[in-house]
Amino acid sequence: MQHKVFELQTRTGLSSVLAGEATLEEAIQETPVQGLHVLPCGAIPANPSEILNSQTFADVLDELTSRYDHVLLDSPPVMPVTDARILAASCDATVLALRAEKSTRKGAIYARDVLRSVGSRILGVVVNDVPRRKGVYGYYYSDAEMYSYGYTSKSIGANGAKKQLPKAEDSPKELV
């Protein structure tokens, strides 16, 4: 997705570097944002999980961390393939991305547990693809410790009384 946002070419990327077809200097691209560089994935290899588990990938990651203050890795979803788990195990920390109105509580808990099982330190959750509609967007915890988020024009409590959604600064720090 970053290649679309920053209008980058995708022919050369991480897979090209790992295959020895390009150097990091050739594959890393500047963006219009000062100080932000992107290394696209490049052509999708036949065996991405094996490549991500390789010493070559570990060496490239070490090189990137020595060159940059922060290195962010974007991965496919946690559930369908093992790539996210492999990457999470290689990182100092993980941020779990959930899709508004699509990700389920059960799926989010499963993803959290899978990431924790590979030793990932989860910093928190980002909810993306939030639709823009009229109404109030927010989240809350109920007395039954149920977590919810989404748009609503009003919030109804268990006794039918209207409830105010809490402000972000009033919410608990740990979401995962």
Side-chain angles (χ1 to χ4, degrees):
M1 179 58 78
Q2 287 77 13
H3 65 280
K4 291 179 182 178
V5 171
F6 296 112
E7 298 178 357
L8 304 173
Q9 67 86 16
T10 59
R11 285 176 277 133
T12 303
L14 178 61
S15 61
S16 310
V17 173
L18 296 175
E21 299 168 355
T23 65
L24 275 173
E25 290 76 17
E26 295 168 334
I28 294 173
Q29 299 176 47
E30 290 188 27
T31 69
V33 179
Q34 184 179 2
L36 178 65
H37 298 90
V38 174
L39 174 59
C41 66
I44 298 174
N47 54 349
S49 297
E50 290 176 26
I51 290 173
L52 293 176
N53 265 325
S54 72
Q55 185 59 47
T56 306
F57 176 71
D59 294 343
V60 167
L61 198 52
D62 286 342
E63 178 62 26
L64 291 169
T65 56
S66 71
R67 289 186 190 192
Y68 294 95
D69 294 331
H70 303 283
V71 176
L72 303 176
L73 304 176
D74 185 21
S75 76
V78 173
M79 292 191 258
V81 292
T82 61
D83 300 9
R85 297 169 220 184
I86 295 167
L87 291 173
S90 303
C91 295
D92 295 330
T94 303
V95 175
L96 179 61
L98 300 174
R99 180 179 273 176
E101 299 181 358
K102 298 287 183 193
S103 298
T104 64
R105 178 178 174 82
K106 184 177 178 179
I109 291 170
Y110 176 77
R112 178 202 64 192
D113 293 346
V114 164
L115 292 171
R116 284 182 176 169
S117 76
V118 297
S120 176
R121 184 176 71 120
I122 301 174
L123 295 180
V125 174
V126 172
V127 179
N128 63 23
D129 203 20
V130 177
R132 295 179 184 200
R133 295 188 237 154
K134 290 184 179 180
V136 177
Y137 184 80
Y139 55 91
Y140 63 93
Y141 286 90
S142 73
D143 295 336
E145 297 182 5
M146 296 294 292
Y147 174 76
S148 181
Y149 64 89
Y151 275 97
T152 183
S153 57
K154 59 185 174 180
S155 180
I156 305 296
N159 62 358
K162 290 184 181 178
K163 293 172 60 176
Q164 197 69 15
L165 293 175
K167 296 177 185 172
E169 60 268 13
D170 297 336
S171 64
K173 297 292 182 199
E174 186 173 328
L175 297 177
V176 186

